[in-house]
Each structure stands twice: as structure tokens, then as C-alpha cells.
Amino acid sequence: MLQIDLSVFPVLETERLILRRLDINDAPTVFTLRSSPEIMQYIPVPLTQTIEEAETYIHSIDKRMEEKECVNWAITLKENNVMIGNIGFYRMKLEHYRSEAGYSTLPEFNGKGYVTEALQAIINYGFSTMKLHSIEALVDPDNIGSIKVLEKCGFEKEGHLKENWFFNGKFLDTVIYSKLNKGV
Ligand SMILES: CC(C)(COP(=O)(O)OP(=O)(O)OC[C@H]1O[C@@H](n2cnc3c(N)ncnc32)[C@H](O)[C@@H]1OP(=O)(O)O)[C@@H](O)C(=O)NCCC(=O)NCCS
């Protein structure tokens, strides 16, 4: 089983971004990210309804991180500290040296390569420091933006599950992408 050390939160820095720990002051941004039908279009979980729910979500992320079940970063712009989204390893599968990555950003910051830059940073951290063997991502087949991000970061399509997820009265497809740690 893979052992990971999260006793000191891993702040990550890229050319344009700082990935830092999410905190309770981020609740308004988390609320926007998780309550917007546009942003959540391809993420099959119920929309967040209130700021309090967003706060509860942040607390749950903290608790799950203490239990080494996830690592979640706020994506912030280096130039002005503004939080533009979040990214993380939302599900750890330590017995398989594997984790599931996910991300979400505010639409006004899309198309600038920020998510690709952030994902590359957590891949490097996941492979070099955490010593993961593989990272997976589960995507709606219509989520072209997310698929582009994954392909730019070297993920490969491994499977297409048909109508495996029942949400809001519909059976949805899931595409699985993954990337192996090849020691680079
Ligand atoms: C998907 C998402 C993360 C992409 O973020 P982003 O900041 O646009 O990502 P990047 O700029 O790094 O790269 C996106 C690429 O896809 C392209 N793209 C985005 N949406 C597209 C679309 N609908 N059709 C075609 N291309 C699209 C962009 O032009 C860019 O390509 P380029 O590098 O060739 O210019 C963002 O739209 C988002 O947060 N969506 C809502 C949450 C979500 O769906 N998360 C993923 C769940 S698996």
C-alpha cells in the first residue's frame, strides 16, 4: 500500500499559478463553482444551493484530506491571488498506487491554458512526490474542453462506459482517461 505524507500541505507553484490549500474564506468561489448549471453541466452531482453547503463541502474536503482520502488545491493567479478554480486528487486508491484527478474553473478564466498548467503541476507532484503509479480521470464524452486538457497532459483514453451513471433521471456515459507514471 502506498504511504503518503500530507502533514505539511503541498503548495505548488507554476509559471502563472499558485495551487494552495482551500480554506473557509473560499466558500463564495466554491459556491459559484458548484452551484452554476453551466460549470456543472458535465459533473453529475447535485448543484450546491447555499454558501453554508459550500462551507460544509470545504470542511468535508479537510476531513477527507486528514484521512488521506483526497488532496484538493485552490487554483490561484500568481499576479493577484484571485482564486479561479479548484483541482485535486478527489479519490485516492492507495492500495493501487492510483488516484482520480478532477478540476473545475470559472468560465471567465477558461481557454487560457490555466487548467492544463495546474493539472501538469499535480501530475508532477503525484508522480514524483506521492509516488503514484497511475492517475485516472472520468469524463463526460461531450466535455470536449476537459478531454483536450487531459490529452494535452498526456492522458490516454482507456474506455467508454455506456450509460453506467444514473443522474437526474438519465443514464449517462463515462469515458475513462489515464496516465501512467513512466518515471519522467
Ligand atoms: C473543462 C475545463 C476544466 C477546461 O478549462 P480551460 O481553462 O478551458 O482549459 P485549458 O485552457 O487549459 O484548455 C482547454 C482546451 O480546450 C479547448 N476547449 C474548451 N472548450 C471547448 C469546446 N467546447 N470545444 C472545443 N474545444 C474546447 C480550449 O480552446 C483549449 O484548447 P487549446 O489549448 O487548444 O486552446 C473548464 O471548462 C471547466 O472548468 N469546466 C467546468 C468543470 C468541468 O467540466 N470539469 C471537468 C470535469 S471532468
Side-chain angles (χ1 to χ4, degrees), residues 39 43 103-105 109-116 138 143-146 148-149 152:
I39 300 171
I43 302 179
Y103 37 76
S104 184
T105 44
F109 298 102
N110 287 163
K112 296 176 169 23
Y114 288 136
V115 176
T116 305
L138 307 182
N143 195 349
I144 308 297
S146 183
K148 275 204 166 188
V149 166
K152 281 192 286 182

Side-chain angles (χ1 to χ4, degrees), residues 27-39:
T29 309
V30 169
F31 174 70
T32 304
L33 288 166
R34 294 179 65 82
S35 65
S36 155
E38 181 196 354
I39 300 171

Side-chain angles (χ1 to χ4, degrees), residues 11-20 73-79 82 84-89 101-105 109-126 135 145-146 148-155 179:
V11 176
L12 305 178
E13 184 172 345
T14 69
E15 194 190 332
R16 297 176 295 169
L17 306 169
I18 303 278
L19 308 188
R20 61 153 172 82
W73 289 267
I75 306 173
T76 66
L77 296 180
K78 217 183 240 185
E79 60 185 24
V82 166
I84 64 165
N86 56 16
I87 190 164
F89 294 122
Y103 37 76
S104 184
T105 44
F109 298 102
N110 287 163
K112 296 176 169 23
Y114 288 136
V115 176
T116 305
E117 194 169 316
L119 181 59
Q120 195 56 61
I122 75 162
I123 292 169
N124 293 344
Y125 174 76
I135 300 172
S146 183
K148 275 204 166 188
V149 166
L150 292 167
E151 288 177 344
K152 281 192 286 182
C153 289
F155 281 70
K179 183 175 170 83

Side-chain angles (χ1 to χ4, degrees), residues 104-171:
S104 184
T105 44
L106 300 169
E108 57 267 40
F109 298 102
N110 287 163
K112 296 176 169 23
Y114 288 136
V115 176
T116 305
E117 194 169 316
L119 181 59
Q120 195 56 61
I122 75 162
I123 292 169
N124 293 344
Y125 174 76
F127 284 164
S128 302
T129 304
M130 293 172 82
K131 308 291 183 201
L132 293 170
H133 179 68
S134 63
I135 300 172
E136 69 181 6
L138 307 182
V139 200
D140 184 303
D142 293 332
N143 195 349
I144 308 297
S146 183
I147 289 171
K148 275 204 166 188
V149 166
L150 292 167
E151 288 177 344
K152 281 192 286 182
C153 289
F155 281 70
E156 289 175 26
K157 182 174 170 178
E158 289 196 336
H160 186 137
L161 308 182
K162 292 189 179 170
E163 301 189 7
N164 67 312
W165 198 261
F166 185 65
F167 180 68
N168 274 354
K170 288 187 189 147
F171 291 99

